[in-house]
Amino acid sequence: MNSVESSNNFEQFRDDLDMVERRMAGEIDPGVRAMVVAGTVFVLLVSLILPHAGTARGFDILLGTDAAHAEHIGLPSRIFVWFVVIFGIGFSLLALMTRRWVLAWIAVAGSAMASVFGVLSIWHRQTPAVGGPGGANYFGAGPGIGLILGTIAIIVLTFHWVRVVWSRTAVQLAAEEQRRIAAAAEEEERRNRGLG
């Protein structure tokens, strides 16, 4: 078998190899961090069962029950709980199950926003409104254990997802650089064959 035949045989599989390489470039490998992420998602689920403020639990805030209305749950807490459910739990589980890089990025972005709203929710529960309707002071319940635990868990989750996504980015950049070098070498070889 001469070099032309082996080159033709290789060209048959080039598209398949490129497809596999692109597919692998879109995947993540969280390694040991997968267990940390899964554990943190479980903690987020537990935080929804625990009280966030007074008698209002996370699920009460999520569903807008009477307990949430009685505790005067504000917008930051509602946004925090929804972000926890959608990004902290939903997209994190999807990213872990499918190992898709794009889903991990969505989980990172949403978890980072949830972290901000979690801290804002704690601050909001510690700062009661003065001079509410009719000039009466309002003294509501402070932040509950569920809110504090959920905020800490979402910050930890964000940190670990960032580490997974950034480590994957470095691998992807290295793979792209290798592809560019190989393409340049192939182009140089074609030019040399054309001149020779």
Side-chain angles (χ1 to χ4, degrees):
M1 180 182 280
N2 63 23
S3 65
V4 174
E5 288 176 0
S6 65
S7 176
N8 288 338
N9 287 339
F10 180 73
E11 290 299 322
Q12 289 176 323
F13 300 109
R14 186 181 243 353
D15 291 336
D16 292 336
L17 291 172
D18 288 342
M19 183 182 68
V20 168
E21 185 178 3
R22 272 185 257 118
R23 185 171 155 247
M24 288 179 66
E27 292 183 354
I28 58 169
D29 182 21
V32 177
R33 290 189 191 279
M35 292 302 294
V36 176
V37 168
T40 307
V41 168
F42 179 74
V43 171
L44 286 173
L45 283 168
V46 169
S47 78
L48 293 175
I49 298 169
L50 298 172
H52 277 226
T55 59
R57 298 170 299 135
F59 284 117
D60 292 329
I61 297 169
L62 187 67
L63 300 173
T65 65
D66 291 337
H69 293 294
E71 292 296 336
H72 304 283
I73 300 299
L75 186 61
S77 292
R78 284 183 267 159
I79 293 173
F80 170 69
V81 170
W82 277 103
F83 272 50
V84 162
V85 170
I86 293 170
F87 297 105
I89 296 170
F91 276 100
S92 290
L93 289 177
L94 282 173
L96 280 178
M97 289 188 298
T98 62
R99 304 222 185 259
R100 300 304 305 166
W101 189 69
V102 172
L103 293 175
W105 261 111
I106 294 170
V108 165
S111 296
M113 291 300 298
S115 299
V116 170
F117 279 105
V119 172
L120 187 61
S121 297
I122 292 172
W123 171 77
H124 184 258
R125 293 310 302 178
Q126 292 176 335
T127 310
V130 177
N137 288 338
Y138 161 71
F139 295 100
I145 187 68
L147 179 59
I148 295 169
L149 183 66
T151 301
I152 293 169
I154 201 76
I155 291 170
V156 168
L157 183 67
T158 302
F159 170 76
H160 284 287
W161 271 131
V162 166
R163 298 281 301 207
V164 168
V165 167
W166 280 110
S167 68
R168 188 64 198 154
T169 303
V171 171
Q172 285 177 334
L173 291 174
E176 288 174 11
E177 182 65 25
Q178 287 178 348
R179 268 187 262 136
R180 279 193 290 266
I181 291 170
E186 185 177 317
E187 183 65 30
E188 183 68 28
E189 183 180 322
R190 284 183 188 160
R191 272 191 259 146
N192 288 342
R193 273 190 267 150
L195 293 177

